Amino acid sequence: MVGSSSSWSTALVKISPYTFASIGIAISIGVSVLGAAWGIYITGSSLIGAAIKAPRITSKNLISVIFCEAVAIYGVIVAIILQTKLESVPSSRIYDPESLRAGYAIFASGIIVGFANLVCGLCVGIIGSSCALSDAQNSSLFVKILVIEIFGSALGLFGVIVGIIMSAQATWPSKG
Amino acid sequence: MYGFEALTFNVHGGYLEAIVRGYRSGLLTAADYNNLCQCESLEDIKMHLSATEYGPYLQNEPSPLHTTTIVEKCTLKLVDEYKQMLCQATEPLSTFLEYITYGHMIDNVVLIVTGTLHERDVQELLEKCHPLGMFDSIATLAVAQNMRELYRLVLVDTPLAPYFSECITSEDLDDMNIEIMRNTLYKAYLEDFYRFCQKLGGATSEIMSDILAFEADRRAVNITINSIGTELTRDDRRKLYSNFGLLYPYGHEELAISEDIDQVRGVMEKYPPYQSIFSKLSYGESQMLDKAFYEEEVKRLCLSFEQQFHYGVFFAYMRLREQEIRNLMWISECVAQNQKSRVHDSVVFIF
């Protein structure tokens, strides 16, 4: 065992790796959806107001909302992948280093995906709001601002890629 | 926190900001003004305006048309748009929108009091009041004899009440006192508005501070120029200047002792933003000063639209519409009086 029996490191190590893994899965879906929802309301409120004067912008600017929605979908996909990585180990082996490693890997993967999607959703939402307002005034601006949004939504994708790589090494000790 | 307004502004203000930006796209452009300036009669003006957003407001007017009717209907459009925004707004945007109208309230109060002094009919005066500045007990203003009564009877229930603390005297109202009252009220209003914007913080306070500081400085210059040669003492003049703005406090000291326009020009040229305004005027000329100030104001108001997620766009839109109505009034008057050569003297293009 690491350290003496009443130090912080012992306390951390004694938390079951399943706790960490489950929290990771919760964060991955929960915080991603938070980011997506935040972005959608930022874009949506501006889009509705601007479309009163310029109704032509509605169909094109739904792309911004779709980009924000994609962020939530990334979170769901990663959460499903992560939960398939959860396996049962016999209780004698719960605190093996390999178990701990698997638990922490799933936790980290969840945090990576969750927070990357949070800021990505925010970014795409704010740009989408400005895009709707600019498009209402001058329709040639839409495509140019869309390029900025595409770069913004790539951030979520980076998070998903790293998260999946992290979770790929989450191997629990085999039984026996 | 400044810089992060984008995260939470749209919860309460996103829809209205988008609406006000939509309204802004309906402002008349230089092409519209060129068409209007070439009109031969008020009927032509009505025809050109019916192609713009003013169409529904003017189409039912019978000919012959008067310039006052055109101005009244255009103002009605502004009032409608303002009321639509106000009824959808939540705090603090609703308070902000209400602050925009207090200036008109002050103008209406002074209009009625002056009119009563000159023995005009109350109903006639009420029709001339600006609709944005109306409040419930406005007709009772005609009854008051001095400022204390004015305050006690009518104004204590209005939002203008806190601005009266500095000018309650028992003197009877006459023309000079009324002008001083108007300027004192407006000074208190500007300072209150400035403090409110500072409290809002963020991009709103930065943009509104700039616009309000320009307003305060412009009023200081106008007060100085209008009081040259009158019996207003230097101390009284000094008391009418607001305590914020680029000219505060040293410019105010110098303006208070100026006795003619060239001295005012000397004071203002020390401040780079105003130097460009005064350099457009040749020596001894003050008629173009108004137009130069309006142009500078319009420039700053248009710049406020460049940033998103703040309340300055609402103020800027109201002011730009008012400028447009002033332009329309000038053009209509020139056309009605057949003075088309002077049309470009006072029209400020917004775009």
Side-chain angles (χ1 to χ4, degrees):
Chain A
M1 279 303 160
V2 185
S4 67
S5 60
S6 65
S7 70
W8 282 107
S9 56
T10 313
L12 274 175
V13 168
K14 284 292 190 185
I15 299 178
S16 160
Y18 291 117
T19 312
F20 279 112
S22 311
I23 292 179
I25 296 172
I27 289 181
S28 114
I29 177 71
V31 177
S32 300
V33 169
L34 173 67
W38 204 329
I40 290 180
Y41 93 67
I42 292 180
T43 295
S45 51
S46 293
L47 181 52
I48 292 174
I52 292 181
K53 259 300 160 70
R56 60 183 165 80
I57 68 169
T58 39
S59 23
K60 278 200 297 191
N61 279 279
L62 284 177
I63 292 182
S64 307
V65 178
I66 291 173
F67 275 130
C68 287
E69 177 71 22
V71 155
I73 292 176
Y74 299 155
V76 172
I77 290 174
V78 172
I80 291 176
I81 291 176
L82 289 181
Q83 65 89 26
T84 60
K85 301 275 180 197
L86 275 179
E87 294 167 11
S88 298
V89 283
S91 47
S92 58
R93 304 199 67 180
I94 286 187
Y95 294 105
D96 281 1
E98 227 178 286
S99 282
L100 294 177
R101 176 180 181 242
Y104 296 155
I106 298 179
F107 178 59
S109 175
I111 290 187
I112 290 169
V113 171
F115 286 98
N117 285 337
L118 170 66
V119 291
C120 172
L122 273 174
C123 169
V124 173
I126 295 173
I127 299 176
S129 155
S130 304
C131 184
L133 294 177
S134 317
D135 191 15
Q137 305 272 346
N138 179 357
S139 45
S140 65
L141 290 175
F142 175 73
V143 178
K144 300 179 174 125
I145 299 183
L146 199 63
V147 173
I148 305 177
E149 264 187 75
I150 291 173
F151 277 110
S153 76
L155 301 174
L157 220 42
F158 298 157
V160 169
I161 291 170
V162 175
I164 290 185
I165 293 175
M166 273 300 292
S167 71
Q169 50 168 301
T171 44
W172 300 84
S174 45
K175 298 187 173 35
Chain B
M1 204 177 14
Y2 191 9
F4 290 89
E5 291 99 7
L7 298 181
T8 48
F9 182 85
N10 274 13
V11 181
H12 293 296
Y15 174 67
L16 283 174
E17 181 187 0
I19 290 219
V20 90
R21 283 178 187 264
Y23 287 154
R24 171 200 181 261
S25 66
L27 286 170
L28 298 178
T29 61
D32 289 321
Y33 283 125
N34 280 332
N35 282 341
L36 286 171
C37 289
Q38 287 167 5
C39 286
E40 296 292 334
S41 73
L42 291 179
E43 296 303 319
D44 282 345
I45 290 188
K46 176 179 163 187
M47 190 183 71
H48 276 118
L49 283 180
S50 56
T52 68
E53 295 197 347
Y54 288 112
Y57 289 86
L58 284 176
Q59 69 190 23
N60 290 330
E61 289 306 305
S63 40
L65 215 50
H66 292 288
T67 56
T68 47
T69 324
I70 294 182
V71 171
E72 205 181 291
K73 293 297 166 194
C74 295
T75 313
L76 198 58
K77 175 174 191 290
L78 174 61
V79 172
D80 280 345
E81 287 174 353
Y82 174 78
K83 288 199 172 129
Q84 272 184 332
M85 289 196 292
L86 186 62
C87 70
Q88 302 252 16
T90 61
E91 289 293 332
L93 179 55
S94 51
T95 310
F96 186 89
L97 287 174
E98 281 170 10
Y99 263 100
I100 300 179
T101 59
Y102 294 167
H104 291 296
M105 264 189 215
I106 294 174
D107 286 339
N108 285 352
V109 166
V110 169
L111 182 74
I112 292 194
V113 169
T114 319
T116 315
L117 195 67
H118 292 273
E119 318 267 325
R120 301 231 201 289
D121 180 37
V122 171
Q123 286 306 318
E124 207 183 293
L125 292 171
L126 282 177
E127 279 167 23
K128 286 200 193 160
C129 284
H130 198 285
L132 279 179
M134 297 299 273
F135 49 93
D136 283 336
S137 42
I138 193 168
T140 9
L141 283 171
V143 173
Q145 299 293 334
N146 61 29
M147 291 198 207
R148 205 174 284 280
E149 269 186 28
L150 203 62
Y151 179 72
R152 196 173 50 85
L153 287 178
V154 184
L155 292 165
V156 67
D157 290 324
T158 64
L160 298 179
Y163 306 150
F164 258 81
S165 57
E166 288 183 25
C167 64
I168 300 185
T169 62
S170 298
E171 286 175 20
D172 276 345
L173 299 165
D174 62 32
D175 279 320
M176 180 74 147
N177 284 346
I178 291 178
E179 272 311 298
I180 294 183
M181 177 177 86
R182 180 212 294 266
N183 284 312
T184 318
L185 283 177
Y186 210 89
K187 167 192 169 177
Y189 155 63
L190 271 185
E191 287 170 6
D192 192 25
F193 198 4
Y194 187 76
R195 269 196 303 270
F196 177 72
C197 291
Q198 298 286 78
K199 218 167 42 144
L200 288 176
T204 303
S205 81
E206 181 181 338
I207 291 174
M208 286 305 296
S209 299
D210 183 51
I211 297 177
L212 290 177
F214 178 76
E215 177 79 14
D217 292 338
R218 179 170 78 157
R219 284 191 79 83
V221 170
N222 281 337
I223 289 174
T224 312
I225 293 183
N226 289 340
S227 62
I228 291 175
T230 66
E231 36 188 60
L232 195 64
T233 65
R234 286 179 182 180
D235 286 331
D236 282 340
R237 202 198 277 183
R238 183 85 183 69
K239 273 196 285 196
L240 293 175
Y241 298 150
S242 302
N243 59 6
F244 65 95
L246 206 55
L247 291 175
Y248 171 79
Y250 306 115
H252 288 164
E253 301 290 337
E254 296 185 23
L255 274 181
I257 58 175
S258 303
E259 290 301 334
D260 65 44
I261 296 199
D262 290 325
Q263 283 187 357
V264 170
R265 173 197 291 271
V267 172
M268 299 303 282
E269 282 183 346
K270 294 187 192 136
Y271 296 87
Y274 304 132
Q275 188 181 23
S276 52
I277 297 178
F278 278 80
S279 63
K280 286 189 214 166
L281 311 170
S282 50
Y283 272 95
E285 186 190 305
S286 74
Q287 296 98 312
M288 302 302 285
L289 185 61
D290 271 347
K291 183 174 179 195
F293 271 132
Y294 279 136
E295 279 175 356
E296 177 72 19
E297 182 188 15
V298 161
K299 200 171 70 167
R300 287 176 191 225
L301 293 174
C302 284
L303 281 179
S304 77
F305 280 94
E306 301 293 316
Q307 202 170 334
Q308 212 181 332
F309 308 121
H310 62 89
Y311 292 150
V313 287
F314 296 97
F315 182 82
Y317 172 69
M318 302 292 291
R319 279 296 165 96
L320 286 173
R321 268 284 178 214
E322 285 167 20
Q323 178 60 43
E324 184 177 277
I325 292 176
R326 272 197 292 269
N327 286 348
L328 283 175
M329 182 170 75
W330 181 260
I331 294 176
S332 311
E333 287 288 346
C334 285
V335 163
Q337 295 172 14
N338 268 322
Q339 301 246 25
K340 302 239 322 258
S341 53
R342 296 197 55 198
V343 148
H344 287 283
D345 277 353
S346 190
V347 174
V348 178
F349 292 130
I350 297 179
F351 294 125

